[in-house]
Amino acid sequence: MSYVRFGAMVATSTIIMFGLMYLNTYAFEHVMFSQTRMWMALLMGAVMAFIMLLFMWGMYKNRVANVAILAGAVAVFGASLWLVRSQETVADIDYMRAMLPHHSIAVLTSTQAHIRDPRVRELADGIIEAQVREIAQMKRLIAELEANPTPATAPDLPPLKPEAVAGKD
């Protein structure tokens, strides 16, 4: 078996997985490039390369190349995981481009789920209302920030910690 073919399989599958992550958005217009989804696709591609090579170890005879591929997969996994968890490369517009499909998924789930309990329906309807409003707000902010970017020298604003709002219900 050719290592080039193995690499092509992993690369093709990784690209396809990146695209598949958008299939559960409510509307096609909510699909935007997301660095976070790209890092997740690379993370999954690295895991897939590692597992596939272990299963096909006997088909690939060059032990040094195999170990190098496994080490590379571990490195890509580690880097991708760090990028996903740290959001180090994600700034204002990137954040909204990642959140827009995420919000769209909440709309899809809330509109399509077979909800029978009126309390759950009320919750889902509130989620739909909030997500649709926030999608529109993000689209407006993306357009505004593309036209008039925040200076790169502006400091990062601190996030609201989840524990600060826990139990406010």
Side-chain angles (χ1 to χ4, degrees):
M1 276 292 244
S2 162
Y3 285 99
V4 172
R5 185 177 179 141
F6 179 82
M9 285 188 305
V10 171
T12 302
S13 297
T14 301
I15 291 166
I16 289 170
M17 283 187 285
F18 175 76
L20 290 174
M21 285 189 268
Y22 289 97
L23 289 181
N24 60 344
T25 54
Y26 181 72
F28 183 73
E29 67 207 36
H30 299 159
V31 173
M32 293 190 160
F33 174 77
S34 165
Q35 287 184 43
T36 301
R37 288 171 193 265
M38 181 179 66
W39 303 139
M40 282 302 299
L42 286 172
L43 184 142
M44 291 184 286
V47 170
M48 183 179 59
F50 194 94
I51 292 169
M52 283 174 53
L53 187 57
L54 291 179
F55 271 97
M56 298 188 292
W57 192 267
M59 297 168 63
Y60 295 94
K61 305 294 185 193
N62 186 332
R63 187 171 172 82
V64 172
N66 292 353
V67 170
I69 291 169
L70 293 178
V74 168
V76 170
F77 175 87
S80 298
L81 180 61
W82 179 77
L83 287 164
V84 165
R85 299 291 303 169
S86 71
Q87 295 290 291
E88 187 63 32
T89 62
V90 178
D92 296 328
I93 292 174
D94 308 314
Y95 161 76
M96 289 183 291
R97 285 187 176 144
M99 290 304 294
L100 209 145
H102 171 78
H103 280 50
S104 185
I105 292 166
V107 172
L108 177 75
T109 305
S110 297
T111 59
Q112 300 300 331
H114 298 277
I115 298 171
R116 292 179 178 91
D117 188 290
R119 297 167 298 173
V120 177
R121 180 74 266 157
E122 182 181 353
L123 174 64
D125 290 345
I127 289 169
I128 293 166
E129 183 181 312
Q131 302 305 301
V132 167
R133 182 180 64 251
E134 290 172 8
I135 287 169
Q137 182 180 9
M138 285 185 279
K139 285 181 169 185
R140 282 191 306 275
L141 278 170
I142 289 169
E144 288 174 20
L145 288 172
E146 284 177 338
N148 187 21
T150 303
T153 56
D156 287 352
L157 300 173
L160 177 65
K161 298 293 182 186
E163 52 274 10
V165 295
K168 285 196 173 183
D169 294 337

